[in-house]
Amino acid sequence: MSVSNEQNNEVVAVDENHVIAERREKLKAIRETAKLNGSVAFPNDFKPEHQAAALHAEFGGFDNEVLDPKALHVSIAGRMMLKRVMGKASFATVQDSTGRIQLFISKDNLTDTNSEAIYDAFKHWDLGDIIAAKGVLFKTKTGELSVKVSELRLLTKSLRPLPEKFHGLQDQEVKYRQRYVDLIVSEETRATFIARSKVVSAIRSFMLENQFLEVETPMLHPIPGGASAKPFITHHNALDMQMYMRIAPELYLKRLVVGGFERVFEVNRNFRNEGLSVRHNPEFTMMEFYAAYTDYLWLMDFTERCIRTAAIAATGSAVLQYQGRELDLSKPFQRLTIVGAIQKYAPQYTLGQLNNADFLRAEILKFGTKPFDHAGLGALQLALFEETAESQLWEPTYIIDYPVEVSPLARASDINPEITERFELFVCGREIANGFSELNDAEDQAARFHAQMKAKEAGDHEAMYYDADFIRALEYGMPPTGGCGIGIDRLVMMITDSASIRDVILFPHMRAEA
RNA sequence: GGGGCGUUAGCUCAGCUGGUAGAGCAGCGGACUUUUAAUCCGUUUGUCGUGGGUUCGAUCCCCGCACGCCCUACCA
């Protein structure tokens, strides 16, 4: 054919190694044999009726005296992970989505007319091939439940070799970039993502049980809002307008509360155009919920129960181990004010100092952080908290009394207008959740947006935009409401004892491959 | 964005402060009818991440770049 085709072949060749080349040759032979037999190289007519884990659970406890008379016929399929050929008899370990089971394959037991050819073909099948078997359950000499195979088929030829069978996949980069390989060979990785699924479904059930309505709000926003963060910017061609990937669903969910959905929640992705770290992925999952006629005190109780429920659903216990240290989610979560937390974890500061803006400003500079120019006392206290106390909050702790100036969507305290009815939940030194009594005074909200715009003009790139439609919605009247967002990835990190957010995201963001 | 460490066969890893590379697994050939990372015999495979520099000579020393991991910063 053409030049381009030759180029393609060259590209393939660069990626090839002799192992892959051997396998391609085997596949070629398989195709030819299939053609002669009127069959196909990639059949899809085999339907397994059993799975490894269930077979072990149901029959693993019996010995051959029980199993033999039953003559339990099973059919299974999966990836061949181990193969031990010993002349005329062989063992192969097959892995399906539930676990592994061993096959015992001997020419004598194969019922097919050309059993010799099938057995010889099997000897050349590779680790990683998807195979299917039918046979009878029995126990080997060493007591392992196995299938004495009467029918054996190759369903899918695998062209690429798996990682080394004992050490598995060690290269972090490959684990992230080629998660499919990681999942094939790492039980631990599979367990992490199964736990993640359990966490999410437990949270969903918990919300539904508490009369919340699950909703989906836009991911593409004309005005980014609901958080202080840099958005990804994109463009809608037909409308010829700039759009933003959402940084938070908050303003839409509150519009729904205005609309009369008094309890709503959404579990989905937020996108923030910021740095990557062991705790940050550009897209991350939030469970955000709003409940009319509740406040931040109610939210703290509710969030606590929600997290505890999720942990138990995923691990069976509310007492966990995180990075070698016990994490007890069963006890009531602590509550501390920002100043209280500093006093507890950095007792060198006096109350007088903590209420002295000039002192705080100077102290924060010592930590190498520059507080923003117009930071008030509350913001300075918060900055010092972040430097001194935050990372020490191992046991679940709600920090309360966030200053108004850093909480533009939260309801101010009736007692002290400088602070809001807001909390953040810290566990293992990390922020896990953020919630507050919602600001439902449309005029106050408009004034807060104006203040944010001023901050933006003054150079605060993360200050919020003025969202006129959101103000309009509030002007129709939003009932008093409490709302909270839980960072699902970080919660799953905690519950699965994962050190990096990338370990709990199936396909974490990576730089383009070299 | 700043700092540290890393990159050697398909995989897991060795490689002596410089003489162009090894092991195990996988593969290929052979033996073997109860193995468990099967075993035993034989055997193939490398732009030593990449581009420069120093040197008679570089996987090794120096510099740049790419990618990765960790710490740090912004943040959830």
Side-chain angles (χ1 to χ4, degrees):
Chain A
M1 262 224 277
S2 64
V3 175
S4 68
N5 204 16
E6 285 170 24
Q7 283 172 340
N8 280 342
N9 288 338
E10 279 171 32
V11 169
V12 168
V14 168
D15 199 35
E16 297 281 81
N17 60 64
H18 69 282
V19 179
I20 295 177
E22 295 271 8
R23 291 192 179 199
R24 283 195 196 279
E25 283 304 312
K26 290 180 187 177
L27 175 58
K28 198 175 158 191
I30 291 163
R31 287 189 205 278
E32 282 162 8
T33 307
K35 208 170 181 181
L36 287 175
N37 297 341
S39 61
V40 293
F42 291 83
N44 69 344
D45 60 323
F46 185 87
K47 311 297 175 199
E49 287 161 21
H50 302 88
Q51 291 192 300
L55 292 178
H56 284 295
E58 203 171 341
F59 304 109
F62 300 130
D63 57 24
N64 281 330
E65 283 173 25
V66 180
L67 292 173
D68 288 347
K70 286 182 192 280
L72 295 157
H73 288 271
V74 298
S75 75
I76 58 158
R79 193 180 295 277
M80 182 161 68
M81 302 303 289
L82 292 171
K83 190 175 93 164
R84 296 177 286 279
V85 176
M86 301 164 303
K88 296 183 179 67
S90 298
F91 289 94
T93 301
V94 166
Q95 175 173 292
D96 65 22
S97 68
T98 67
R100 294 181 171 194
I101 192 159
Q102 180 172 262
L103 307 181
F104 175 70
I105 304 149
S106 99
K107 214 180 295 185
D108 301 343
N109 295 322
L110 294 173
T111 54
D112 209 287
T113 47
N114 55 346
S115 62
E116 186 124 359
I118 290 172
Y119 187 75
D120 286 342
F122 161 76
K123 287 203 272 189
H124 295 281
W125 293 352
D126 293 295
L127 298 186
D129 287 352
I130 310 289
I131 65 175
K134 289 186 182 177
V136 178
L137 285 181
F138 79 112
K139 279 280 178 73
T140 63
K141 212 161 64 175
T142 52
E144 178 168 347
L145 187 71
S146 307
V147 180
K148 192 172 286 173
V149 175
S150 53
E151 285 180 59
L152 186 65
R153 294 177 69 187
L154 175 65
L155 300 185
T156 307
K157 183 67 198 165
S158 167
L159 296 175
R160 289 180 178 266
L162 291 174
E164 205 254 352
K165 63 188 175 190
F166 185 63
H167 298 92
L169 182 55
Q170 297 298 317
D171 188 328
Q172 260 325 316
E173 181 178 357
V174 177
K175 282 169 87 80
Y176 295 149
R177 284 195 200 276
Q178 295 179 250
R179 185 68 88 184
Y180 38 90
V181 178
D182 187 25
L183 288 167
I184 289 169
V185 299
S186 171
E187 170 78 43
E188 198 186 345
T189 301
R190 287 195 297 274
T192 295
F193 289 102
I194 290 167
R196 180 175 177 130
S197 173
K198 286 180 178 167
V199 166
V200 172
S201 68
I203 288 175
R204 189 167 265 130
S205 302
F206 182 81
M207 298 309 288
L208 296 174
E209 279 161 21
N210 283 281
Q211 289 75 51
F212 281 81
L213 181 73
E214 183 168 9
V215 297
E216 291 170 272
T217 65
M219 295 266 180
L220 287 173
H221 288 189
I223 302 167
S228 301
K230 291 192 203 86
F232 284 93
I233 302 173
T234 185
H235 185 263
H236 191 290
N237 290 340
L239 298 177
D240 188 24
M241 67 185 286
Q242 179 161 289
M243 302 204 84
Y244 304 86
M245 304 292 286
R246 77 169 180 203
I247 55 174
E250 174 155 356
L251 302 185
Y252 284 93
L253 291 170
K254 285 200 256 195
R255 283 172 170 98
L256 295 177
V257 178
V258 170
F261 286 151
E262 292 174 350
R263 290 192 171 198
V264 291
F265 77 103
E266 179 165 8
V267 191
N268 222 317
R269 231 65 65 77
N270 290 344
F271 305 86
R272 299 191 182 174
N273 205 342
E274 285 158 0
L276 287 76
S277 84
V278 73
R279 290 178 288 279
H280 299 87
N281 196 62
E283 53 182 300
F284 63 100
T285 302
M286 275 277 258
M287 197 285 281
E288 205 158 307
F289 63 97
Y290 291 82
Y293 313 109
T294 70
D295 62 7
Y296 78 125
L297 296 171
W298 182 88
L299 288 175
M300 284 191 274
D301 284 333
F302 186 80
T303 300
E304 184 172 332
R305 284 197 288 132
C306 181
I307 288 173
R308 195 172 290 135
T309 301
I312 292 168
T315 70
S317 170
V319 184
L320 313 172
Q321 281 284 121
Y322 187 73
Q323 305 295 293
R325 193 169 159 188
E326 190 185 272
L327 173 63
D328 189 349
L329 301 177
S330 69
K331 293 182 293 194
F333 294 5
Q334 293 175 56
R335 296 180 190 187
L336 288 171
T337 63
I338 290 172
V339 170
I342 299 172
Q343 286 185 299
K344 179 169 177 183
Y345 291 99
Q348 67 270 30
Y349 300 112
T350 66
L351 201 54
Q353 288 173 324
L354 295 180
N355 285 304
N356 180 330
D358 292 332
F359 173 83
L360 290 173
R361 190 176 290 278
E363 197 62 23
I364 292 157
L365 279 171
K366 285 188 198 165
F367 287 98
T369 307
K370 194 175 177 296
F372 55 98
D373 291 343
H374 306 289
L377 182 64
L380 292 167
Q381 289 169 338
L382 177 60
L384 186 66
F385 160 79
E386 285 169 356
E387 295 297 342
T388 60
E390 181 174 322
S391 64
Q392 298 182 62
L393 300 173
W394 184 267
E395 298 296 334
T397 307
Y398 285 113
I399 298 298
I400 57 170
D401 287 1
Y402 278 76
V404 168
E405 59 186 305
V406 297
S407 313
L409 303 169
R411 183 184 195 277
S413 159
D414 294 333
I415 301 153
N416 177 357
E418 295 296 307
I419 61 172
T420 54
E421 294 185 358
R422 175 181 172 192
F423 65 85
E424 287 193 356
L425 173 62
F426 293 88
V427 188
C428 305
R430 286 178 199 146
E431 187 184 342
I432 294 289
N434 175 22
F436 38 85
S437 304
E438 301 299 334
L439 176 56
N440 65 338
D441 177 339
E443 293 178 351
D444 189 354
Q445 183 66 78
R448 303 265 196 106
F449 275 154
H450 279 298
Q452 287 289 306
M453 286 169 70
K454 258 194 182 150
K456 193 175 265 303
E457 281 161 23
D460 181 356
H461 297 296
E462 294 188 350
M464 291 181 188
Y465 290 80
Y466 191 98
D467 188 330
D469 178 69
F470 178 64
I471 296 297
R472 182 167 63 184
L474 288 187
E475 285 169 353
Y476 280 91
M478 181 172 80
T481 297
C484 178
I486 300 174
I488 298 299
D489 310 277
R490 288 184 182 178
L491 179 64
V492 173
M493 281 172 73
M494 224 166 71
I495 291 174
T496 60
D497 193 14
S498 300
S500 170
I501 197 167
R502 289 180 159 176
D503 295 328
V504 301
I505 292 174
L506 282 167
F507 299 99
H509 187 75
M510 304 284 277
R511 214 178 280 263
E513 223 169 323

